[in-house]
Amino acid sequence: MSSPVDTSPGTGSGPTRKLPTRRGTELLMLAFATVIITFALMLVDANQGQELTLSIVWYGLSYLGVFTVAHVAVRYFAPYADPLILPCVALLNGIGLVMIYRIDLASAERAAQQDIAFTPDAPRQVVWTVIALALFLAVLVLIKDHRTLTRYAYTCGLLGFFALALPGLLPASVSEVNGAKVWVRIGPLGLQPGEFAKILLLIFFAAFLVSKRDLFMSAGKRVLGIEWPRPRDLGPIVLATGAALAIFVLLKDLGQALLLFGMVLMLIYVATERAIWIFVGLVPFAAGCVIAYNLFTHVQQRTRNWLDPLATYDEPGGGYQNAQALFGLGTGGVAGTGLGAGRPEMVPLSKTDFIAAAIGEEIGFIGLASVLMVYLILAMRGMRGALAVRDTFGKLLGGGLAFAITMQVFVVVGGVTSLIPMTGMTAPFLSYGGSSLLANYILVALLLRISDAARRPQQGGRPRGEQQKTPLSDTGTVLVERPS
Amino acid sequence: MNTPLRRVGIAMLAMIVLVLAHATYIQVFKADEYRADQRNQRVLLDEYSRERGQIVSQFDGQVLAHGEPTSGRLQYLRRYSEGPMYAPVTGYYSWRYGSAGLERARNDILSGNDARLFVRRLSDMITGRDPRGGHVQVTIDPNVQRTAYETMTDRDFTGAVVALKPDTGEILGMVSTPSYDPNALATHDGEAQEEAWTAMSEDPSKPMSNRAIRETYAPGSTFKLVTTAAALEDGATPDTEVTSASSITLPNTQTQLQNFGGQTCPGSTLEDALAYSCNTAFAELAGELGASTLRSTAENFGIGKSDLDIPMRVAMSSVGQLSDEASLYQSGIGQRDVRLTPLQVAQLAATVANDGTAMRPQLVKSLLAPDLSTISDYSDDELTGEPALSEENAEILRDMMIESEENTAGGGKRDDLTIASKTGTAEHGADPKNTPPHAWYTAFAPADDPEVAVAVLVESGGDRGLAATGGSVAAEIGRMTIDSALRGQSE
């Protein structure tokens, strides 16, 4: 099935032919993204009655500078990586920064009127961005080949589960903020380990499924027309998913639970190539939904908020947030109120979970659709790398990472627009928050690593050894071509 | 394993498309609903961040309402000078409770949202000036308004006064008492606002009701102007013989209809009947004229118009069903189901004063742009398109009203001024004989060259209780209002 993609780069990878790295395109697109962001910042300042000074240009240039460092790193450490991934990230991150700065201005004004001290979040987000880019570099430098990750699969899995459970184990004073027990706070520094857990677990599941893939594919009894794998092979994955979901439900973090479940289901489907697994997975999911609905009042409340946020507007924990988001989106309409000319600060959590409402209000449906398109390009580019990469683990991991981005966007933007019930989740790269930013930059570094591996010409003696290391995908190609 | 990966890719595409489709639904199809939701304060905040236009009088440019810059989140505080006096005109503009009066009816201009201000807003935007609202110039004469309001409140009367310019329909004064202070609702202190709102809306004297245009009352004998006009148009003259009996029996009933105080009418002509306000004569007259004649004359005075905006919506005045002869008799003297607004009663006098033609009443003189250039001017317009009575008959009716004024008691008369008037003392309530009547006075002056027409309503007898009459309670207020109007304009 996968033969054309798998074999063509291999055959064309003679030492004489040099593939274009397309790093120039990347730099150009980065500059383009910076121009858009600088212009957006200018609009915010103009509409907010701030003095327009040359400093905006300096902000723009330093933003470009920071990303140029990342670009240079990619040039050295992943020269064949996809040229659109980094610019997409830069654009999203920049739009997020502009929106956070814009909401800062509004909050500062309000705080000044009420004589409350106010610290802006935008500078902190800038610092987080720089730290995240440093982490991004570290991942590119340290992980020269994504396949080395398989060696640490079980370590990743353990770490992942530990990170998930950690806030639940710690006392509420260090782990609970606004009712969600997902934090680890040491002094002024706060991290949400769950954000990192999702990547660690993705690595674990991908590696696990690759190593057990043949068992899933062949062994097992045939019952009801489905070939069931042996329980002892399936056991770990069911256990892992169940444990993760239990932790999430205990932490009241529905969004992450949904994300993790979606990812595991997707990985199993891709690994086994059997759609039936999706349905098999959806049955316990549906049951889980029903149980959660009957068990937790906050799930019922959220469902009612979703069905009609305007009706539950005045209830405690009611549809107020959703309704405010809808008001903002509605007021923005098609073209938006203009950057800096709306009132996105009226939506609670407008810098984090509801940043999509702020974008929809100020740059309208056009702006929100554009942002979604950038996400789609980012995810599709990641998926392209996964399709083109030669090894199974790379495919699973790349596909999983790309899917994770889309799934997050779906859950958070869908929640903000009341397409699905609202679950607390941040919009990747846009939302304010260090953990989300750090985790997502790691995710992107891995995507770049995989897309680099996909296009990198294979050299001399090394590929031979590599190919022997990935026997599963190779045997697959032979099997397909045999009937002709 | 690329096939399932591609399928996952398609699923990802589908997820984004689904979100996009839903965003389209929210931001395109449902946008107006969300924008207009009263809990969405964005539109209101935008209004508050713009300098709202002023409401000014056409005389001396006196400012009735203006926006005062504040340091708060709502950038402008609405201030009303002499709030209670002008409340029936300006209405209020409240953060929590919306708006009323001109604030509501001309909100587009005042807030700057009106399409006619768009070009100016655009130029404001380019020149970097904050967009501002336009101004509304009202027809109110501050002298008239003050006199009417103070004479009413000095006496603690509940009721309304309306003064009109007969030839244009401009409203010179519109007073409703007791009144309320719109400043209390405009304050940015939410709690104070709520307190004021609760107090005013629960007050049994209904201070927030604009009695001049939003409430209807039995007009009593002032309605005899309509009956007389109908009779004159029907061919009667002031010398037409009418009954002078002290009481008559309503057709097909045992009910007696009496003259005021059970007296016999001092004369037996139509002129005498109006001068002494003889009920029996007008009851019979209405019966002779018939329902359709009476109704059509009433309609030409503006009664029964359901869509009158000044620009606030005026409650519909009505003569009622006139279903049988007995009710026709009673309606002829302004009882039964006849219900008029004080504005409509003023319109009765104004119509006679304007040679029989009713003019459309109007509170707004002109709309001004923020830079005071005129956007639109009010132009006079006939109210019904058909005169209520001919010029000659209007003159006859005027002379009859002068006669009536001479027979009317009450203070405030001026020797050098001829007033044409009609009083009314309207029974109402479940037990009309033991409920203090509504006292009415409607008049215009000077009789030979009318400049102002007024109507005064004092609810439930004012300070005289059961003994109240239009002459003893309402006439003086009307005369003082006329006086202030004539004096103010001669200056």
Side-chain angles (χ1 to χ4, degrees):
Chain A
M1 282 232 181
S2 50
S3 55
V5 181
D6 273 8
T7 48
S8 58
T11 48
S13 64
T16 46
R17 196 181 140 192
K18 196 166 161 49
L19 272 175
T21 58
R22 298 191 287 178
R23 289 303 100 198
T25 314
E26 184 178 77
L27 190 60
L28 200 71
M29 294 304 276
L30 278 174
F32 182 52
T34 309
V35 169
I36 294 175
I37 294 157
T38 312
F39 191 63
L41 188 62
M42 222 178 315
L43 279 175
V44 167
D45 273 350
N47 275 326
Q48 282 282 299
Q50 305 281 317
E51 216 173 317
L52 285 178
T53 56
L54 265 182
S55 61
I56 288 177
V57 179
W58 289 115
Y59 285 140
L61 285 176
S62 34
Y63 191 75
L64 184 59
V66 169
F67 272 90
T68 307
V69 172
H71 162 78
V72 170
V74 173
R75 210 173 253 271
Y76 277 101
F77 298 104
Y80 294 95
D82 191 287
L84 282 184
I85 290 178
L86 194 60
C88 280
V89 170
L91 183 58
L92 289 169
N93 193 347
I95 291 172
L97 276 171
V98 169
M99 284 318 293
I100 292 163
Y101 167 70
R102 186 259 165 278
I103 296 164
D104 270 345
L105 289 179
S107 314
E109 199 178 317
R110 199 183 279 194
Q113 279 159 22
Q114 297 170 351
D115 274 328
I116 302 170
F118 172 76
T119 31
D121 285 330
R124 277 189 243 170
Q125 182 79 344
V126 171
V127 173
W128 280 122
T129 305
V130 174
I131 297 174
L133 276 166
L135 208 59
F136 168 89
L137 292 190
V139 171
L140 276 186
V141 173
L142 292 176
I143 303 173
K144 290 256 167 32
D145 187 334
H146 61 272
R147 282 167 294 190
T148 53
L149 287 172
T150 53
R151 279 183 233 150
Y152 308 106
Y154 284 89
T155 318
C156 284
L158 262 172
L159 266 177
F161 283 113
F162 177 69
L164 269 185
L166 187 59
L169 302 173
L170 291 171
S173 57
V174 286
S175 65
E176 192 162 328
V177 176
N178 296 332
K181 213 165 150 50
V182 294
W183 290 86
V184 173
R185 287 188 305 161
I186 307 149
L189 210 67
L191 280 179
Q192 288 175 285
E195 294 276 358
F196 302 97
K198 85 185 165 211
I199 295 176
L200 291 170
L201 290 175
L202 199 58
I203 294 168
F204 163 67
F205 281 128
F208 177 81
L209 282 168
V210 167
S211 67
K212 305 283 182 194
R213 187 165 171 244
D214 44 348
L215 294 173
F216 279 99
M217 299 283 282
S218 53
K221 291 179 190 163
R222 226 181 143 80
V223 181
L224 295 168
I226 308 160
E227 273 186 47
W228 300 81
R230 291 175 304 174
R232 64 168 184 199
D233 297 316
L234 196 57
I237 216 153
V238 170
L239 214 66
T241 313
L245 288 178
I247 289 163
F248 276 132
V249 170
L250 290 179
L251 303 182
K252 292 191 179 183
D253 195 344
L254 293 165
Q256 297 282 9
L258 195 62
L259 177 64
L260 189 75
F261 189 78
M263 283 184 341
V264 170
L265 219 56
M266 173 260 171
L267 288 178
I268 296 179
Y269 166 63
V270 174
T272 61
E273 305 196 13
R274 282 185 199 156
I276 195 73
W277 282 112
I278 296 174
F279 299 103
V280 169
L282 282 177
V283 172
F285 175 74
C289 285
V290 172
I291 292 166
Y293 182 84
N294 288 314
L295 228 56
F296 304 110
T297 48
H298 72 273
V299 177
Q300 294 167 14
Q301 181 73 49
R302 286 205 175 176
T303 312
R304 283 193 296 130
N305 296 350
W306 164 54
L307 291 173
D308 191 355
L310 299 184
T312 60
Y313 188 85
D314 294 317
E315 292 171 23
Y320 176 79
Q321 291 185 350
N322 292 71
Q324 284 297 335
L326 292 178
F327 291 160
L329 290 168
T331 308
V334 174
T337 58
L339 269 172
R343 299 184 184 279
E345 76 278 7
M346 294 184 71
V347 185
L349 303 176
S350 53
K351 283 177 195 166
T352 52
D353 294 18
F354 281 93
I355 199 158
I359 289 170
E361 177 177 352
E362 296 221 312
I363 48 181
F365 171 71
I366 297 171
L368 188 60
S370 312
V371 167
L372 287 173
M373 283 303 154
V374 176
Y375 274 124
L376 190 63
I377 293 170
L378 176 61
M380 284 303 170
R381 282 287 162 166
M383 189 53 102
R384 240 173 84 113
L387 281 168
V389 81
R390 298 168 195 87
D391 67 295
T392 349
F393 173 68
K395 282 181 186 302
L396 268 184
L397 184 60
L401 293 171
F403 183 74
I405 294 174
T406 318
M407 184 95 184
Q408 281 188 75
V409 172
F410 178 77
V411 169
V412 70
V413 184
V416 168
T417 56
S418 290
L419 172 66
I420 57 170
M422 185 70 197
T423 55
M425 194 181 277
T426 54
F429 305 108
L430 284 177
S431 292
Y432 173 73
S435 313
S436 161
L437 212 54
L438 297 183
N440 283 308
Y441 268 95
I442 295 173
L443 187 157
V444 159
L446 291 175
L447 270 185
L448 282 176
R449 175 51 71 215
I450 291 167
S451 73
D452 173 60
R455 288 187 73 247
R456 187 193 290 269
Q458 303 198 335
Q459 297 148 1
R462 210 175 132 232
R464 238 171 263 266
E466 295 295 330
Q467 274 168 354
Q468 278 158 3
K469 258 183 131 183
T470 54
L472 274 178
S473 56
D474 280 355
T475 48
T477 59
V478 174
L479 272 173
V480 169
E481 288 182 10
R482 197 157 57 181
S484 66
Chain B
M1 75 182 5
N2 276 359
T3 312
L5 263 186
R6 286 210 179 86
R7 292 209 179 116
V8 169
I10 290 166
M12 281 156 56
L13 190 69
M15 281 158 94
I16 299 291
V17 168
L18 200 59
V19 172
L20 270 176
H22 191 68
T24 315
Y25 171 67
I26 296 289
Q27 294 202 272
V28 180
F29 297 104
K30 296 267 277 181
D32 285 335
E33 186 187 317
Y34 290 130
R35 200 176 296 140
D37 193 291
Q38 51 157 344
R39 290 167 292 193
N40 183 3
Q41 298 185 318
R42 288 173 178 79
V43 178
L44 207 59
L45 272 172
D46 273 350
E47 275 186 26
Y48 271 89
S49 69
R50 234 180 271 153
E51 187 175 351
R52 194 172 170 82
Q54 299 178 341
I55 301 177
V56 297
S57 164
Q58 64 166 325
F59 298 99
D60 317 327
Q62 187 168 334
V63 177
L64 312 188
H66 69 282
E68 200 173 81
T70 69
S71 56
R73 187 161 71 105
L74 309 176
Q75 294 174 28
Y76 288 94
L77 174 65
R78 198 67 170 159
R79 298 286 299 171
Y80 301 90
S81 30
E82 320 229 34
M85 184 192 299
Y86 289 107
V89 177
T90 58
Y92 58 83
Y93 181 69
S94 166
W95 167 244
R96 281 200 184 179
Y97 300 101
S99 55
L102 274 179
E103 293 278 26
R104 185 190 189 93
R106 283 289 168 263
N107 183 50
D108 277 358
I109 287 287
L110 292 168
S111 67
N113 287 335
D114 194 282
R116 286 168 287 185
L117 292 169
F118 181 73
V119 176
R120 290 177 175 90
R121 273 174 65 196
L122 211 61
S123 69
D124 277 350
M125 217 141 55
I126 290 161
T127 55
R129 215 169 39 181
D130 285 337
R132 290 172 297 165
H135 309 296
V136 173
Q137 195 181 46
V138 292
T139 55
I140 295 291
D141 179 345
N143 285 329
V144 175
Q145 187 79 4
R146 177 177 302 279
T147 307
Y149 181 73
E150 285 178 355
T151 48
M152 287 290 281
T153 49
D154 284 351
R155 292 163 174 75
D156 262 339
F157 284 173
T158 298
V161 180
V162 175
L164 292 172
K165 207 160 182 295
D167 55 340
T168 62
E170 287 170 66
I171 297 171
L172 299 174
M174 181 162 73
V175 162
S176 174
T177 58
S179 191
Y180 67 99
D181 189 356
N183 286 311
L185 294 178
T187 172
H188 291 176
D189 178 347
E191 259 172 56
Q193 228 181 74
E194 197 178 330
E195 230 167 80
W197 174 266
T198 314
M200 294 190 299
S201 52
E202 284 174 5
D203 189 333
S205 66
K206 297 208 284 180
M208 282 200 287
S209 168
N210 185 355
R211 294 175 164 79
I213 59 168
R214 289 303 309 161
E215 305 274 338
T216 59
Y217 303 86
S221 301
T222 56
F223 191 73
K224 287 170 184 164
L225 293 175
V226 177
T227 313
T228 310
L232 291 173
E233 287 293 288
D234 199 47
T237 66
D239 300 325
T240 301
E241 286 288 323
V242 293
T243 182
S244 58
S246 66
S247 106
I248 53 169
T249 311
L250 294 180
N252 310 322
T253 68
Q254 303 297 314
T255 315
Q256 293 288 307
L257 189 146
Q258 290 184 319
N259 279 344
F260 183 75
Q263 296 157 328
T264 308
C265 199
S268 60
T269 63
L270 183 55
E271 183 166 20
D272 295 330
L274 190 75
Y276 298 106
S277 201
C278 301
N279 289 340
T280 53
F282 283 98
E284 272 191 17
L285 205 54
E288 281 162 28
L289 287 167
S292 65
T293 313
L294 192 65
R295 190 189 294 277
S296 84
T297 301
E299 274 170 9
N300 288 332
F301 274 101
I303 298 167
K305 220 171 155 49
S306 61
D307 57 349
L308 180 61
D309 296 322
I310 63 162
M312 294 91 95
R313 177 50 57 93
V314 178
M316 188 179 83
S317 298
S318 157
V319 292
Q321 291 290 323
L322 306 181
S323 49
D324 53 33
E325 225 175 331
S327 67
L328 188 55
Y329 269 53
Q330 288 173 298
S331 300
I333 59 167
Q335 294 287 169
R336 189 73 185 213
D337 295 329
V338 184
R339 294 287 180 276
L340 305 185
T341 60
L343 174 68
Q344 179 61 57
V345 174
Q347 190 76 55
L348 299 183
T351 304
V352 178
N354 192 40
D355 302 327
T357 303
M359 301 303 288
R360 178 179 289 275
Q362 187 62 28
L363 189 57
V364 173
K365 179 78 179 168
S366 55
L367 302 176
L368 308 175
D371 59 4
L372 299 180
S373 62
T374 305
I375 297 171
S376 85
D377 257 325
Y378 166 66
S379 55
D380 313 340
D381 190 12
E382 287 181 12
L383 180 60
T384 56
E386 209 177 318
L389 65 171
S390 68
E391 221 176 304
E392 300 78 49
N393 282 338
E395 223 164 283
I396 293 168
L397 185 50
R398 180 198 70 194
D399 290 340
M400 290 166 77
M401 287 171 73
I402 296 173
E403 199 66 18
S404 166
E405 169 73 7
E406 273 164 19
N407 285 311
T408 302
K413 289 196 180 183
R414 256 169 69 182
D415 292 337
D416 58 336
L417 181 67
T418 317
I419 295 179
S421 78
K422 183 72 196 83
T423 58
T425 310
E427 293 180 343
H428 65 102
D431 181 12
K433 295 294 170 206
N434 293 310
T435 308
H438 293 324
W440 285 98
Y441 179 79
T442 182
F444 61 87
D448 50 351
D449 180 20
E451 283 176 27
V452 59
V454 302
V456 177
L457 160 75
V458 178
E459 276 184 29
S460 302
D463 52 0
R464 300 285 171 96
L466 281 171
T469 62
S472 63
V473 175
E476 186 176 6
I477 297 165
R479 291 184 190 122
M480 289 171 77
T481 306
I482 287 175
D483 186 51
S484 69
L486 299 179
R487 211 181 295 213
Q489 283 169 340
S490 61
E491 265 170 18

